[in-house]
Amino acid sequence: SSSSSSLSASLIADPSSEILLGPGAASLWQALWGWVPEWVMREQPTCVFRASRDGYNLRTLYRKCEHIQPVLLLVRTTEQEVFGAFIASELSERHGAHFFGSGETFLFSLLPNPKCYEWTGETDFILRGTDEELAVGSGGGAFGLWLDGELDKGSTSCCQAFNNAPLTSAGADFSCAAIEVYSLA
């Protein structure tokens, strides 16, 4: 979009990020910002949760993100792959095993190859959150992105909600090296 392309990379890059770092970080932030819907306030993202600082615990992630929308979830695996989700709804809307969420939510991969996977409209299985798991996207018997309650393991598969390829090159299961959540409000 025209407004996102006019933003400077320095505005949207977080120098303290443990996930998007190094010489290519600004261009990855720029790619991410280009996928974010126009209605999102164009201000500096604020890191509201960093697992290395706040603990590898999903309940803590929920608590730190309570009443904040939208948020950007970033995951770096032990294989140095980076991906995540733009979550347009408040995570406090979660109610047990029930799905919730807005069709503006999307999955993305950044490293090794930037790609955005928007909601297909084929299913309303957008988000599901319990104390034991967070799932983004479902349908067809698989989750687009799934994280466990200790935020150390996850999985990724093609799902109907986003018609995404697995977000890791190996597909399926992965181990988390870092997780960050940014407020875009």
Side-chain angles (χ1 to χ4, degrees), residues 48 69 82 96 129 132 167 185:
V48 293
Q69 80 177 85
V82 175
E132 292 79 37
L167 302 175

Side-chain angles (χ1 to χ4, degrees), residues 50-112:
R50 178 170 287 137
S52 64
R53 175 189 69 206
D54 301 315
Y56 285 82
N57 184 291
L58 187 56
R59 287 183 299 282
T60 303
L61 183 152
Y62 291 144
R63 192 175 70 253
K64 293 277 193 178
C65 298
E66 196 163 8
H67 307 302
I68 297 173
Q69 80 177 85
V71 296
L72 197 59
L73 168 69
L74 294 174
V75 178
R76 179 170 46 85
T77 70
T78 54
E79 301 297 319
Q80 306 308 312
E81 293 180 294
V82 175
F83 50 86
F86 170 81
I87 300 173
S89 304
E90 285 187 27
L91 290 173
S92 55
E93 292 178 30
R94 70 192 186 287
H95 298 289
H98 299 287
F99 281 90
F100 68 100
S102 156
E104 289 180 298
T105 296
F106 62 82
L107 290 173
F108 59 85
S109 60
L110 286 173
L111 290 174

Side-chain angles (χ1 to χ4, degrees), residues 7 25 29 88 105 113 120 122 152 164 169 181 183:
L7 286 172
W29 278 107
T105 296
N113 301 309
T120 63
E122 292 178 26
D152 66 342
N164 57 292
S169 54
V181 179
S183 167

Side-chain angles (χ1 to χ4, degrees), residues 140-151:
F143 295 120
L145 173 57
W146 177 89
L147 295 171
D148 73 355
E150 287 79 42
L151 300 178

